[in-house]
Amino acid sequence: MQLCLMVETEDDVTWPQWARLAEGCERYGLHGLFGADHYGSVYERRDQGSLDVWTVLAALATRTRRIRLGTLVSPVTFRHPSVLAKVVTTVDHVSGGRVELGLGAGRYEPEHRAYGFRYPPVGERLGMLAEYLRVIHAQWTEENVTFHGEHFLLEGCVARFRPLQQPHPPLIVGGGGGPRSIGIAARWADEYNVAGLSPEECRKTRRRLTEASERHGRDPRTLRLSYLGACLAGADGPELRRRVWHVLERTGQWGTSVDEFLDRMGPGWIAGTVDRVMGRLDAFRDAGVHRVYLRHPLPDDLDMVELIGRVVVPAMA
């Protein structure tokens, strides 16, 4: 199982924090570093800032040599697909072929409204996602692209340079396990990502991905399943509790105790001492999950990155 670190870009993560996290992933053996693609907070707080994730990834590409870099996920509502295809190609060249593109339909209307992005109904956004993948795939693999879709138009687009990775950088589709997003992924994606599901729900999603792949005449093994979960790990109980306290402090949850926070952690959390974390990861691996993105809620905490790298990563290899 591959383990990557994931960072919520809009969670006040500064450039020095990004650089240190990338260095930690590189040093301690994590497979990659991925960022959410948001311009504004998707939580209740409105006083948090964000940097543009694709600009950050381009800069990190010059400071790293091994780790994979990408988004989880970029909304199709933010940019024209031809623009994002060019951006990702550029980062692929800067990184020497280490970039991956996660795409989703977009999910937070206030952020769109604040930044002037149109936010269509979910059915229309899923239609945009399907066309988006077709356009990007064509720009990365075809010589001359003319596309007349319901949402996007291209006329005689000769997109050069091509990505370094062949046939193209990996494409990740984020979804909730529903038939439409799974169908889109089975047609165009290399990986399907879910968040907040239990291992048993992941097992069912894996079966649906297999069935959808077979309907499209595709080898199901070529469509991987990945999982995103918030992570808090400690070498022992006191270390774990200290990390929980730092999360409460950072998020301003002054009225919540450490025990209350631990008790109400839902299925979206991969948390506990390292033995418990590894047990939970084993359950996802048994359910057919190929890669797990560990969302790090404490961007200054490099000790947890080291703990995961030195203890958890070798156990999951």
Side-chain angles (χ1 to χ4, degrees):
M1 174 183 282
Q2 297 173 353
L3 295 181
C4 298
L5 203 69
M6 187 272 186
V7 177
E8 291 286 0
T9 311
E10 77 283 7
D11 197 15
D12 261 349
V13 185
T14 65
W15 166 246
Q17 289 172 327
W18 273 111
R20 288 193 292 269
L21 287 169
E23 180 184 347
C25 290
E26 187 103 331
R27 178 184 302 168
Y28 299 123
L30 277 83
H31 188 74
L33 175 61
F34 286 69
D37 192 352
H38 286 295
Y39 287 141
S41 176
V42 297
Y43 303 106
E44 293 183 2
R45 293 181 62 186
R46 295 291 179 269
D47 58 345
Q48 295 170 301
S50 67
L51 298 174
D52 178 80
V53 68
W54 280 107
T55 307
V56 167
L57 293 174
L60 292 177
T62 68
R63 301 173 66 105
T64 56
R65 294 293 177 266
R66 180 187 59 79
I67 57 173
R68 307 293 294 179
L69 300 165
T71 53
L72 209 66
V73 290
S74 289
V76 298
T77 46
F78 280 11
R79 311 168 185 87
H80 193 281
S82 63
V83 173
L84 188 55
K86 180 70 73 173
V87 169
V88 178
T89 297
T90 302
V91 182
D92 200 45
H93 279 257
V94 174
S95 67
R98 293 182 288 120
V99 75
E100 303 189 16
L101 171 59
L103 287 171
R107 67 180 179 89
Y108 195 64
E109 185 174 4
E111 175 189 26
H112 286 71
R113 192 164 55 243
Y115 278 84
F117 300 127
R118 181 170 170 266
Y119 190 73
V122 62
E124 185 176 343
R125 298 198 313 276
L126 285 168
M128 292 171 64
L129 175 61
E131 287 191 11
Y132 213 99
L133 285 156
R134 291 171 61 189
V135 169
I136 287 183
H137 194 275
Q139 281 191 245
W140 284 348
T141 60
E142 298 177 16
E143 287 296 327
N144 189 306
V145 181
T146 293
F147 181 85
H148 294 177
E150 183 179 350
H151 307 286
F152 304 108
L153 299 173
L154 286 82
E155 291 285 352
C157 178
V158 181
R160 297 181 181 144
F161 297 109
R162 294 292 183 82
L164 293 181
Q165 296 179 82
Q166 294 299 316
H168 54 74
L171 287 165
I172 305 163
V173 166
R180 192 164 180 189
S181 64
I182 282 180
I184 291 170
R187 180 66 183 87
W188 297 106
D190 302 288
E191 177 181 320
Y192 186 73
N193 178 259
V194 295
L197 302 185
S198 68
E200 182 53 38
E201 289 170 321
C202 286
R203 192 183 309 275
K204 294 176 182 177
T205 300
R206 177 64 266 177
R207 286 199 295 266
R208 291 193 288 268
L209 287 171
T210 297
E211 293 165 359
S213 297
E214 291 172 344
R215 284 196 299 270
H216 285 280
R218 174 178 180 176
D219 183 347
R221 292 172 297 182
T222 65
L223 178 55
R224 300 180 297 273
L225 174 64
S226 64
Y227 182 80
L228 167 64
C231 181
L232 278 175
D236 52 30
E239 183 174 285
L240 174 66
R241 294 178 67 85
R242 285 196 298 273
R243 288 208 164 93
V244 171
W245 172 249
H246 288 314
V247 169
L248 294 173
E249 184 180 41
R250 190 168 193 271
T251 55
Q253 299 182 62
W254 308 113
T256 303
S257 71
V258 170
D259 288 330
E260 287 171 336
F261 187 88
L262 289 169
D263 287 342
R264 73 185 189 197
M265 281 181 170
W269 281 90
I270 298 173
T273 58
V274 287
D275 288 344
R276 184 177 178 85
V277 167
M278 288 189 290
R280 186 150 170 78
L281 290 172
D282 275 332
F284 283 110
R285 179 165 56 185
D286 292 344
V289 172
H290 169 78
R291 176 189 282 182
V292 172
Y293 300 89
L294 301 170
R295 182 172 68 80
H296 193 357
L298 297 168
D300 274 328
D301 189 347
L302 295 182
D303 289 340
M304 192 174 88
V305 178
E306 180 178 3
L307 177 67
I308 292 168
R310 293 197 185 281
V311 181
V312 182
V313 169
M316 294 295 110

